[in-house]
Amino acid sequence: MACFDDVEDFLGLFVYVVTKPKPQENFLSFLGEESRMPGPRWLGWGWSLVPQKCSSKESMHAYAANVYTSVVEELMKGKQRKFIAVEQEFFRLWWDTVATDTYKQQVHQLLQEGRLEFVIGGQVMHDEAVTLIDDQILQLTEGHGFLYETFGTRPQFSWHVDPFGASATTPTLFALAGFNAHLISRIDYDLKADMQKNKKLQFVWQGSPSLSERQEIFTHVMDQYSYCTPSQIPFSNRSGFYWNGIAVFPDPPKDGVYPNMSLPVTDTNIHLYAQTMVSNIKERAAWFQTSDVLWPWGCDKQFFNASVQYSNMDLLLDYINKHSDEFGVTVQYATVGDYFQAVYSRNLTWEIQDSQDFLPYSTEPFQAWTGFYTSRSTLKGIARRASSLLYAGESFFTQYVRKHPASSICKCRALKQLQSLRWAVSEVQHHDGITGTESPKVKDMYMNNLMYGMFNVKKLMASIIFDMNNAKKNGEVYSSIYTKDSAIPGAPDVDQYVVVYNPLAWNITTFVMVSVSHLAMGVYDEMGHSVPVQVQSSAETHSTYDLYILVAISGLSYRKYNVKPLNGKQSAFIGRSVKYKRKDLTRADQQCRQLLPVVNNCYQVLFDQNTNLMHSITERETNQTVQLTQEFLEYHVNGDMMKGPISDNYLFAPNSSAVPVAKAVGLEVVSGNLMTEIRQYFYSNVTTQDYIYAVYTRLYTVPEGYDGKLLCHRIEQEYSVGPLELNREAVLRTSTNLNTRQLLYTDSNGYQIQKRPFKTYVNNTVARNYYPMVQTAYIEDDTTRLMLLAERAHGVSSQGNGQVEVMLHRRLWNNLQWDLNYNLTLNDSSVVRPVIWLILGTKAVTNILYRTSGLALEHRPVVMFGALSGDKLKLPRQPQQNSVHGSPVTVPPNLHLQTLSIPGWRYSSNHAEQVRSIRMGKQKQGDADFSRVLLRIRHLYEVGEDPVLSQPVMVNLKSLLKGLGPVMIVEERSLTGTWDVNTLNRWKWKTAQYPSKGFSNSTETSENCIVTVHPKEIRTFFVYFQGQ
C-alpha cells in the first residue's frame, strides 16, 4: 500500500483565444480540471498508509476515494465536463478497492468519449533531479502497463508540473514513450520571467544531444501562476474557484463544510467572478504566441467534492460564453490533449531548446531548491539499493522461468514477490518521495515498503538457488547486498556457502565482502580450488572480521563459494593494521612533509603524515600527479524565520562559507596482498574520544590471471557522517591543483552529462551553484579529469577553482509554521554511509572507464550466503560459470542490458485486438502471461564521445539470448511497451530546422532479430521463445 501527500490528478480549464480583425480579442477558454490528489504531498508527503498510523481505508476515506468517485459521477451528468488524471498509484487503489462495476463501466465510457484523459500515466509524477533513468522508466512502465491492459489507452501528453526543476532526460523518455507534448512548470523564477516577457514559454526540446530531432518533444512551460487556479479574488477574503474548500485529514467533516470554501456563484456575484477570471485569462494570453490559453482549474488536494466544483463552474462558463462579445472570451472544459491539439493545429514554427536542462530551481533569490538533492540520504541510498536488487531479481527470475518451465516454485507467487518491489521502487520516485521532502511517517512508509519488497525478492532468489541445486528444503539461504550485519559463523559440521550473482551483461572481476567470525578462513570454488581472499579486522565492530573474496563472473551468471575455517591455519592473505598517531591540524608543519605511499598497479596515493590527510594521486600509466586533499566542512544555516532565510527539506540557504569541522585526524592503514584500506577518523579536537566523520579508502591489487582493469582504476571511498549538530549541512570538499576554471560536469539521471559553469549572483551564490549528482560528477583541466561516481544522489558544487564538494548529510530545524504543520523540519539525527568511487586519468581513459564503472557501482553483485546441511551443493565436473540458464548473456562494453524481465501483462500486442477485447468485455483474465519477455538495450555513449565506443552497434538478439532458448518472435515496442514502433507516429512540430509539419517515426525496424543500436538509443523489445 502507498500513500501520497498530494495527488496530482488535475482537471484543466483551457482558454482558447481567437484574434478577430478588429482589436477586440476573443478567448476560447478551456478549463483543465485538476485535482492534485494526496499524491505528491499525500502519496509522498504528509499522510501515510502505514499500519498503526493511518490505514489505506482511512486514507481513501479521507480524500482519494472521494475524488474519483465524485468526479466520475459528475462527469456523467454533463457532456461538456472533462477531467485529467495523472498518477496511477491512487487511481489503481480506487479501481481495485473502491470502484463498483457501475463506476468501472462509466470510466470506460468517459475514456472512449475523451472526457476523462490519463496524462503521464506513470505510477507517480517522478522527481527529475535525483532519480535514476532506470527508475523513471520503471514507474512509467508500471502505470502504462496497467492503463493499457485495463482500458487499452496510451497516454500521449505529460503534466510534469510539480518536480523541483526540469531535467533534459525526462522529455527524451516521454518522446520514447510515444508522447506528443510535454508540460512543465517549476523552473528558475528569473528565467521564467524572461521567457514569459518574450513569449518563449513554448519550444521544441531536443533533450538528448545525440538523439536530437529524432526524439524531440514540444514543451510548454506554465506561466507565473503555475498549475493552480489564482486564488485571490477582489470581492471576497476567501480563495476563489475552490468551492469545495480545503481537504481535512484524516476524517472529513460530517456536515460537509470544509475550511476556506469559495463563495458560491450567485446572480449577485457571477459578473464579478467572470470579470476576475477573464482578466486573468487575458493577462496570461499576452505571454503566449497562439490564441490558445491553458487555464488550470484546481490545485493540491482538490475535487474531493466534484459536485460543488462543477455546479459552480458550469454557471460561470455559461455566463461568460453568453456574454462573449462583452468579455472577448469563450471558455470550455478541456483536457491537456485538447489544448495541445489546438496549439498543434496552428501550424506555427517553434524555436528549438537544446539539451540544457532547467536545474537548479529557485523561487526567489534566497529560495534555492538545492537542499533536497541530499535530504534524507538514507532513504536515497535504500531506494537505489532496492532498485539494484530489483534489477538483479528480474533477470534472475526471467532466466529461471525460461530454463525451468516446470519448476517447483510457483511462478505466480514469485511474480507477486517481484511486483511488491516494483511498486515500492516506483512509488518512492515521487517528487516528494526520494527527494526527502516528506514527513517522517511518510518516509517510514516508503522505507517499510522498500524493505518488504527487498525481503520478498531476496527470498525469491534464494528459493531459485535451492531449486536449481536440488538442495534440501531445510537448508537456509538468506540474501544480502554488502551487508555487515551477520557473520558467517564457521561451524565445522555445516558447509557455509556464498552465492554471488552478477546482474550485469558483462564479465566482471571484483571483490565482495562478507563478515566472518574467524580470522583464519579459506574460500573454495565449485572445484574445491582456493580462491584469492583477504581477511582483516572490521572497522565497525570488534566481534567480526571482513572477508574480501575476489570473484570473476560472466554476464548474468553466478558462482558458488564454500567458506571454511582453517582450524588454526593461517589464511592466505591477512590484512595487517598499522595505526598512526592522531595529528593536530592546527599545528601541522607545512614545511617538512613526510609522505606515506599507498600503491597499486594504477595509482600511487600519498598521505601527508603531518596531517594524516590525502596529499596527491599519481596515475601511474601517464605518471601524471594531481595534488589532491580532502576535508569535511559544514555549512551553518539559520532556523529562525525572524533572522533571515532558512534551510529546510527543500531549500539550501547557508549563512556563509562552509566551516572546517575537524581539528585532528587519526589514521590507520590496513594492508594486504589484495587490498589496502586507509581509515581516516576526523575529530573536533585532539583529545575527543569519538570521531564525527570517517573515510574508508580502498585500493585493490589484482593477481595475475584476472582482468582487473576496472577494479584497479578506482579508488573506493566509504564515508561515515553524523549524527550532525542541529542546522548543519555536511560536505566533503576535494581540492586539487587542476585548473578547472570552476567548471563542473554532472549527470542527468545517470543518462547524459550537463556542463555546469559557476555563476555569480547578487544573493545566495553558494546555494544556486549546487546541482544534483545522481551518479556522476567530474572536474577537469586540459589533460586530466577527476571523476566521482555515486551510489545515491547528492548535491554537488564547485565553489573554487580545482574544487568539487559533495553534500553528504543535512540536519535541520526551523520555525516556519508551514514546515512545522507538516513536520518538514528534517531533524535527521542518523549516521549515513554513502560510497563514492574516484577515477583519475586522461579524458580518453576516463571516458572508457566511467560508464561501465558507474554501472558496476550501481549494480554490484548480489551476495547470498547461508548454511546448507545434508546434501552438498552439486559440484560441476569442470570449472563453470553457473548462469541460471547455462549460457552467459554478454553485450559489448558500450551497451547496457537495461531490462530483462517478465512483466506478466496479459494484454495483446495487437492494438486493434486489445481495444476490441476490452470493448467486448473479453480482456484476458486469470494468471499472468509468462511467455512475454521485456528486453531493453541502451547505448551508453554520446555521438563523438569516443572514436570506438561511440559507434553504432549491431546486435543479434537470437545470439544474445540463445541461453534462454530459441528466439521465435521479436517485436520492437515503445519505451513502456504499449506501442508497436511501426504504428507509433508522433506529432512532428515545425521548427526553423525542420519546417515541415507531420508525423515522426524514426526507429529502424529490426529484421531477422538483428538491430543496430545508435548512440544514446534505448531500444525496447518483446521477445517470445520457442514453445511459448
Side-chain angles (χ1 to χ4, degrees):
M1 283 301 165
C3 156
F4 308 95
D5 295 315
D6 45 74
V7 177
E8 241 105 12
D9 296 50
F10 288 77
L11 281 125
L13 226 177
F14 153 48
V15 181
Y16 185 42
V17 184
V18 180
T19 305
K20 295 188 174 183
K22 55 185 180 182
Q24 180 185 9
E25 287 185 309
N26 182 17
F27 297 79
L28 175 56
S29 174
F30 295 82
L31 252 72
E33 292 89 285
E34 46 176 307
S35 151
R36 299 217 337 155
M37 292 209 326
R41 292 197 172 72
W42 201 52
L43 189 144
W45 190 70
W47 294 92
S48 107
L49 302 190
V50 184
Q52 289 87 44
K53 291 192 176 181
C54 180
S55 72
S56 59
K57 288 183 179 179
E58 288 172 329
S59 295
M60 293 296 285
H61 165 71
Y63 178 71
N66 292 342
V67 171
Y68 288 116
T69 300
S70 67
V71 163
V72 170
E73 288 174 351
E74 292 307 310
L75 290 179
M76 296 304 295
K77 293 177 183 177
K79 288 288 186 181
Q80 79 282 11
R81 296 173 172 179
K82 296 190 177 185
F83 188 87
I84 66 169
V86 183
E87 296 172 311
Q88 291 309 300
E89 181 115 348
F90 255 102
F91 180 82
R92 291 174 77 168
L93 286 173
W94 175 79
W95 184 261
D96 291 337
T97 63
V98 177
T100 63
D101 288 343
T102 299
Y103 285 135
K104 290 182 178 182
Q105 290 171 6
Q106 290 171 341
V107 168
H108 279 282
Q109 179 184 335
L110 291 167
L111 287 168
Q112 290 176 30
E113 294 174 355
R115 297 197 292 117
L116 174 63
E117 179 178 73
F118 289 110
V119 292
I120 305 180
Q123 284 292 93
V124 297
M125 186 187 296
H126 68 254
D127 168 69
E128 300 192 38
V130 299
T131 47
L132 196 63
I133 183 174
D134 308 61
D135 303 325
Q136 295 179 353
I137 294 172
L138 171 71
Q139 73 85 19
L140 205 59
T141 303
E142 281 294 290
H144 284 195
F146 163 76
L147 288 176
Y148 194 57
E149 185 168 86
T150 309
F151 306 111
T153 188
R154 300 174 290 199
Q156 296 181 52
F157 306 98
S158 96
W159 182 261
H160 247 229
V161 296
D162 209 24
F164 319 130
S167 163
T169 303
T170 307
T172 302
L173 293 190
F174 286 164
L176 289 167
F179 286 18
N180 288 315
H182 178 42
L183 188 148
I184 62 177
S185 182
R186 292 186 184 268
I187 67 172
D188 222 50
Y189 71 97
D190 47 4
L191 177 60
K192 177 178 280 194
D194 183 69
M195 294 170 72
Q196 191 169 279
K197 176 183 175 182
N198 294 293
K199 294 191 175 184
K200 293 188 176 182
L201 290 170
Q202 294 171 316
F203 48 84
V204 172
W205 198 352
Q206 296 181 352
S208 164
S210 293
L211 299 178
S212 191
E213 74 280 354
R214 289 183 294 143
Q215 299 299 342
E216 67 188 15
I217 194 166
F218 181 80
T219 303
H220 172 104
V221 182
M222 302 201 84
D223 58 46
Q224 68 187 41
Y225 291 103
S226 193
Y227 58 78
C228 291
T229 309
S231 60
Q232 300 300 317
I233 53 177
F235 55 91
S236 172
N237 57 5
R238 301 188 204 174
S239 62
F241 310 102
Y242 297 99
W243 293 285
N244 56 195
I246 298 173
V248 177
F249 297 90
D251 295 309
K254 292 182 171 56
D255 59 4
V257 178
Y258 286 80
N260 204 25
M261 296 175 75
S262 299
L263 288 174
V265 175
T266 64
D267 290 342
T268 57
N269 66 20
I270 192 167
H271 189 76
L272 296 173
Y273 260 120
Q275 284 180 322
T276 302
M277 183 172 173
V278 168
S279 174
N280 185 255
I281 287 169
K282 290 184 175 181
E283 180 186 13
R284 298 167 97 150
W287 300 328
F288 294 91
Q289 292 188 43
T290 76
S291 53
D292 314 302
V293 179
L294 181 67
W295 200 84
W297 173 36
C299 197
D300 297 0
K301 297 182 281 288
Q302 284 293 302
F303 285 87
F304 53 90
N305 182 351
S307 175
V308 68
Q309 289 284 87
Y310 278 110
S311 60
N312 280 279
M313 187 56 83
D314 284 349
L315 295 172
L316 183 54
L317 298 193
D318 186 56
Y319 182 85
I320 293 173
N321 290 335
K322 285 180 178 177
H323 298 83
S324 60
D325 287 342
E326 174 189 347
F327 291 118
V329 172
T330 306
V331 292
Q332 68 181 61
Y333 293 110
T335 64
V336 175
D338 293 334
Y339 171 70
F340 281 125
Q341 179 67 66
V343 175
Y344 182 66
S345 68
R346 295 294 175 189
N347 203 25
L348 298 184
T349 299
W350 301 98
E351 289 190 5
I352 292 174
Q353 163 83 12
D354 62 15
S355 56
Q356 191 61 42
D357 62 11
F358 294 97
L359 289 164
Y361 162 62
S362 296
T363 44
E364 57 182 70
F366 284 103
Q367 291 193 349
W369 295 49
T370 56
F372 79 90
Y373 301 158
T374 305
S375 295
R376 301 204 189 284
S377 178
T378 300
L379 175 62
K380 285 175 165 65
I382 292 293
R384 289 275 282 274
R385 280 179 54 191
S387 170
S388 178
L389 179 63
L390 176 62
Y391 175 78
E394 296 279 17
S395 63
F396 204 62
F397 176 67
T398 300
Q399 295 176 82
Y400 175 71
V401 169
R402 285 298 313 129
K403 193 65 180 175
H404 303 270
S407 64
S408 63
I409 293 176
C410 173
K411 293 198 294 266
C412 291
R413 182 167 178 268
L415 188 61
K416 288 181 179 177
Q417 290 174 305
L418 285 168
Q419 286 171 336
S420 69
L421 191 52
R422 289 176 190 170
W423 271 60
V425 173
S426 292
E427 73 178 13
V428 79
Q429 305 313 314
H430 190 279
H431 59 270
D432 274 311
I434 196 169
T435 51
T437 54
E438 65 280 284
S439 68
K441 68 175 175 181
V442 177
K443 179 265 295 181
D444 292 341
M445 177 207 72
Y446 285 129
M447 292 285 281
N448 290 342
N449 290 349
L450 289 166
M451 298 305 290
Y452 174 71
M454 292 173 75
F455 171 79
N456 282 334
V457 172
K458 290 175 183 178
K459 190 174 178 181
L460 170 62
M461 295 181 74
S463 300
I464 291 173
I465 291 289
F466 268 112
D467 190 65
M468 288 192 303
N469 288 280
N470 299 315
K472 287 191 173 180
K473 296 303 181 216
N474 63 352
E476 181 187 7
V477 171
Y478 44 97
S479 128
S480 174
I481 303 177
Y482 284 129
T483 187
K484 301 179 183 179
D485 298 336
S486 305
I488 296 179
D493 56 336
V494 179
D495 273 3
Q496 304 290 337
Y497 281 90
V498 174
V499 179
V500 184
Y501 176 61
N502 169 24
L504 291 167
W506 306 313
N507 301 337
I508 64 164
T509 301
T510 191
F511 282 93
V512 297
M513 195 283 287
V514 295
S515 294
V516 294
S517 56
H518 290 68
L519 185 61
M521 302 292 287
V523 179
Y524 305 89
D525 65 15
E526 298 94 333
M527 288 297 295
H529 296 148
S530 180
V531 173
V533 296
Q534 179 169 317
V535 63
Q536 61 194 41
S537 62
S538 171
E540 295 183 32
T541 172
H542 298 298
S543 61
T544 62
Y545 300 92
D546 295 342
L547 177 66
Y548 286 86
I549 307 170
L550 182 63
V551 299
I553 312 177
S554 297
L556 271 62
S557 303
Y558 70 90
R559 297 287 301 271
K560 299 190 294 288
Y561 301 95
N562 188 201
V563 181
K564 295 180 179 180
L566 294 181
N567 300 320
K569 302 176 186 177
Q570 291 290 302
S571 62
F573 302 128
I574 295 181
R576 302 298 181 183
S577 170
V578 177
K579 294 184 179 180
Y580 295 85
K581 183 180 178 182
R582 189 186 302 186
K583 294 301 170 69
D584 186 344
L585 297 181
T586 63
R587 298 185 178 183
D589 184 353
Q590 301 298 325
Q591 303 301 318
C592 182
R593 281 200 169 97
Q594 289 182 298
L595 300 178
L596 171 69
V598 177
V599 183
N600 71 357
N601 292 332
C602 297
Y603 298 115
Q604 174 181 271
V605 182
L606 296 180
F607 288 83
D608 185 344
Q609 290 190 275
N610 290 336
T611 61
N612 288 337
L613 296 174
M614 192 180 291
H615 172 270
S616 62
I617 301 176
T618 300
E619 203 279 313
R620 297 184 64 189
E621 185 175 348
T622 61
N623 204 32
Q624 179 77 26
T625 297
V626 173
Q627 304 296 316
L628 188 151
T629 186
Q630 294 180 309
E631 61 178 336
F632 289 103
L633 303 97
E634 291 178 350
Y635 286 101
H636 293 203
V637 296
N638 171 46
D640 186 349
M641 282 294 299
M642 303 304 293
K643 294 181 179 179
I646 59 159
S647 281
D648 62 12
N649 298 53
Y650 307 89
L651 308 177
F652 173 39
N655 286 344
S656 58
S657 300
V659 179
V661 292
K663 291 186 170 58
V665 180
L667 180 68
E668 178 184 5
V669 178
V670 183
S671 55
N673 292 39
L674 298 177
M675 189 259 290
T676 301
E677 182 175 74
I678 303 96
R679 301 170 179 174
Q680 293 168 287
Y681 302 98
F682 295 76
Y683 300 88
S684 57
N685 60 59
V686 179
T687 59
T688 306
Q689 290 297 311
D690 297 326
Y691 60 86
I692 46 177
Y693 294 89
V695 183
Y696 307 97
T697 303
R698 303 181 189 103
L699 271 75
Y700 297 102
T701 302
V702 184
E704 291 289 329
Y706 289 86
D707 178 9
K709 183 178 180 182
L710 290 185
L711 193 54
C712 176
H713 274 95
R714 68 181 183 240
I715 300 171
E716 292 187 4
Q717 291 197 317
E718 181 178 358
Y719 313 101
S720 175
V721 182
L724 301 178
E725 293 182 34
L726 209 53
N727 287 328
R728 299 289 188 269
E729 316 213 20
V731 301
L732 175 76
R733 180 177 291 169
T734 302
S735 301
T736 73
N737 63 342
L738 298 175
N739 181 22
T740 64
R741 304 179 208 36
Q742 237 173 315
L743 179 60
L744 174 70
Y745 296 83
T746 69
D747 69 309
S748 289
N749 313 107
Y751 178 64
Q752 61 195 44
I753 296 295
Q754 293 281 345
K755 185 185 291 188
R756 310 294 194 186
F758 189 87
K759 299 176 183 177
T760 302
Y761 298 93
V762 175
N763 298 300
N764 216 15
T765 293
V766 170
R768 295 185 74 177
N769 278 283
Y770 256 80
Y771 297 92
M773 173 176 69
V774 178
Q775 194 174 61
T776 308
Y778 63 87
I779 55 174
E780 64 185 16
D781 64 11
D782 294 337
T783 60
T784 305
R785 178 182 290 168
L786 174 66
M787 305 209 67
L788 286 68
L789 303 175
E791 39 75 77
R792 70 187 70 180
H794 300 280
V796 63
S797 184
S798 179
Q799 296 288 331
N801 188 34
Q803 289 183 356
V804 57
E805 68 182 43
V806 181
M807 187 176 288
L808 300 176
H809 200 11
R810 317 177 74 216
R811 185 181 182 185
L812 309 168
W813 185 90
N814 68 75
N815 57 8
L816 177 64
Q817 196 58 48
W818 189 86
D819 282 346
L820 295 174
N821 290 345
Y822 292 103
N823 198 4
L824 290 174
T825 56
L826 200 66
N827 190 356
D828 184 349
S829 59
S830 65
V831 176
V832 298
R833 301 293 299 263
V835 172
I836 289 178
W837 291 357
L838 307 180
I839 299 176
L840 180 71
T842 64
K843 295 178 184 180
V845 168
T846 55
N847 262 345
I848 294 171
L849 293 172
Y850 89 91
R851 303 279 186 185
T852 46
S853 295
L855 285 164
L857 174 57
E858 187 67 34
H859 299 296
R860 288 169 285 182
V862 177
V863 180
M864 293 170 279
F865 55 93
L868 295 175
S869 57
D871 292 351
K872 304 293 169 74
L873 288 178
K874 287 187 175 180
L875 298 180
R877 296 178 183 175
Q878 58 188 18
Q880 126 183 11
Q881 292 285 342
N882 296 287
S883 72
V884 189
H885 52 74
S887 178
V889 177
T890 307
V891 297
N894 49 357
L895 297 185
H896 171 44
L897 189 72
Q898 185 151 345
T899 307
L900 183 67
S901 71
I902 295 176
W905 302 315
R906 296 184 295 266
Y907 61 70
S908 171
S909 295
N910 182 294
H911 181 63
E913 182 181 304
Q914 173 66 8
V915 172
R916 183 166 54 251
S917 65
I918 288 173
R919 292 186 177 178
M920 294 177 67
K922 295 181 179 179
Q923 300 103 304
K924 293 180 181 178
Q925 302 294 328
D927 291 343
D929 180 0
F930 291 92
S931 67
R932 175 188 287 139
V933 171
L934 175 64
L935 170 72
R936 287 193 189 96
I937 298 174
R938 169 157 61 106
H939 198 300
L940 295 173
Y941 286 80
E942 299 281 2
V943 170
E945 186 176 2
D946 183 87
V948 176
L949 296 172
S950 291
Q951 297 302 312
V953 184
M954 191 174 291
V955 181
N956 186 320
L957 298 181
K958 286 187 175 181
S959 298
L960 176 67
L961 301 174
K962 65 180 184 294
L964 280 72
V967 173
M968 298 303 294
I969 300 173
V970 173
E971 301 171 350
E972 183 155 9
R973 310 292 293 185
S974 61
L975 183 70
T976 59
T978 56
W979 290 88
D980 178 340
V981 294
N982 296 303
T983 63
L984 175 56
N985 294 306
R986 296 195 308 115
W987 296 350
K988 184 72 177 175
W989 297 74
K990 282 176 59 176
T991 63
Q993 186 178 359
Y994 295 96
S996 62
K997 175 185 160 188
F999 295 98
S1000 172
N1001 186 337
S1002 58
T1003 306
E1004 298 176 23
T1005 305
S1006 55
E1007 294 183 12
N1008 300 320
C1009 299
I1010 297 175
V1011 297
T1012 300
V1013 187
H1014 294 271
K1016 299 312 290 185
E1017 279 190 338
I1018 303 173
R1019 304 288 288 275
T1020 303
F1021 306 93
F1022 288 163
V1023 183
Y1024 302 87
F1025 295 86
Q1026 185 175 320
Q1028 296 183 345

